[in-house]
Amino acid sequence: MCPYNRAAGGGAAQGAALPAGPGVRGTAAAKAPSPWPVLRAHLGRLAVVFAITSGATTAFYFVTVDFPSYAESAGAATKEETSAALLLGMVALLAAMLGGGKAADRFGALPVLRLGFAGLALGSVPLLLAMNAGRVPVPVVTVVLLFLLGLPLAVSNVFAGQLFPPAVRAVAVGLPTAAAISLFGGTFPMLAELLRSAGHNAWLPWWPALTAAAALAASWAVREHPVSVTPHA
């Protein structure tokens, strides 16, 4: 049984018996330990979560939000055609997440995570260049990109949770995740419009590819076996 649960179960009786010492106001002074010392001890893994989330959120915003505008500016398809292709892509995303979760149960989360990011890092730019040249149809590009993205999306939350002990897991995952989504995902539409307005629409695929490469590199920084998701009794 968790010590916090034992304290909760007998807190009322113990609180009445304990005298209030100097500077102590009964049981109100009993506070949970601060998570910050433990978080400082895991700064490297916080950076891993930040990098992985950055790679996933940048690719997600590119394919699901900006892709119709990108394809139209590149002369590959109209926004309506690309939006229709995204319906097929979302089916591929769901299939990849289901398959990725099943594969992670058998082989572990890291191989699934790395496979998806490696595909995005190495395949995004060549695939999109081929689409712009008319050699690969837009629906095929959409399905491939969203399938590759679905692999890290399927396992990243569970994998991130495994990097930290239960006492700080929520904070340790939540802080870098929120920061990465704000800095990379939230700013991607603005970056895309700035590049297009400057006549550099062709540069845009490099940003998701580079952030995916950074996420892939960060995944190799995890050398120790992750901790269990379920705390021991």
Side-chain angles (χ1 to χ4, degrees), residues 5-233:
N5 292 336
R6 287 199 297 267
Q14 293 175 4
L18 289 175
V24 178
R25 298 179 181 177
T27 56
K31 296 181 180 178
S34 171
W36 300 116
V38 182
L39 290 177
R40 284 195 294 269
H42 292 84
L43 287 178
R45 293 189 171 192
L46 290 170
V48 169
V49 176
F50 180 85
I52 287 174
T53 307
S54 299
T57 192
T58 303
F60 183 84
Y61 270 82
F62 173 63
V63 184
T64 64
V65 176
D66 188 71
F67 193 59
S69 297
Y70 169 82
E72 184 176 59
S73 298
T78 65
K79 287 184 178 180
E80 291 74 17
E81 292 170 338
T82 309
S83 297
L86 280 172
L87 293 176
L88 292 175
M90 296 307 294
V91 174
L93 176 72
L94 292 175
M97 293 182 71
L98 290 172
K102 190 172 183 64
D105 288 338
R106 182 172 181 180
F107 304 108
L110 265 177
V112 177
L113 189 84
R114 289 168 177 165
L115 179 62
F117 280 130
L120 290 170
L122 299 175
S124 295
V125 174
L127 193 61
L128 289 164
L129 290 177
M131 181 192 78
N132 296 345
R135 293 194 292 269
V136 180
V138 171
V140 172
V141 174
T142 308
V143 166
V144 171
L145 290 179
L146 281 172
F147 183 87
L148 291 172
L149 175 60
L151 296 178
L153 287 182
V155 299
S156 58
N157 287 338
V158 172
F159 172 72
Q162 289 178 327
L163 296 179
F164 306 98
V168 295
R169 185 168 289 154
V171 176
V173 175
L175 285 178
T177 297
I181 292 173
S182 299
L183 294 174
F184 286 84
T187 61
F188 187 84
M190 179 182 67
L191 173 66
E193 288 303 319
L194 287 174
L195 288 175
R196 264 193 291 275
S197 63
H200 299 308
N201 188 64
W203 294 4
L204 198 54
W206 287 97
W207 188 231
L210 288 173
T211 55
L216 178 63
S219 74
W220 290 97
V222 181
R223 293 186 174 88
E224 299 177 14
H225 186 72
V227 299
S228 173
V229 173
T230 304
H232 296 291

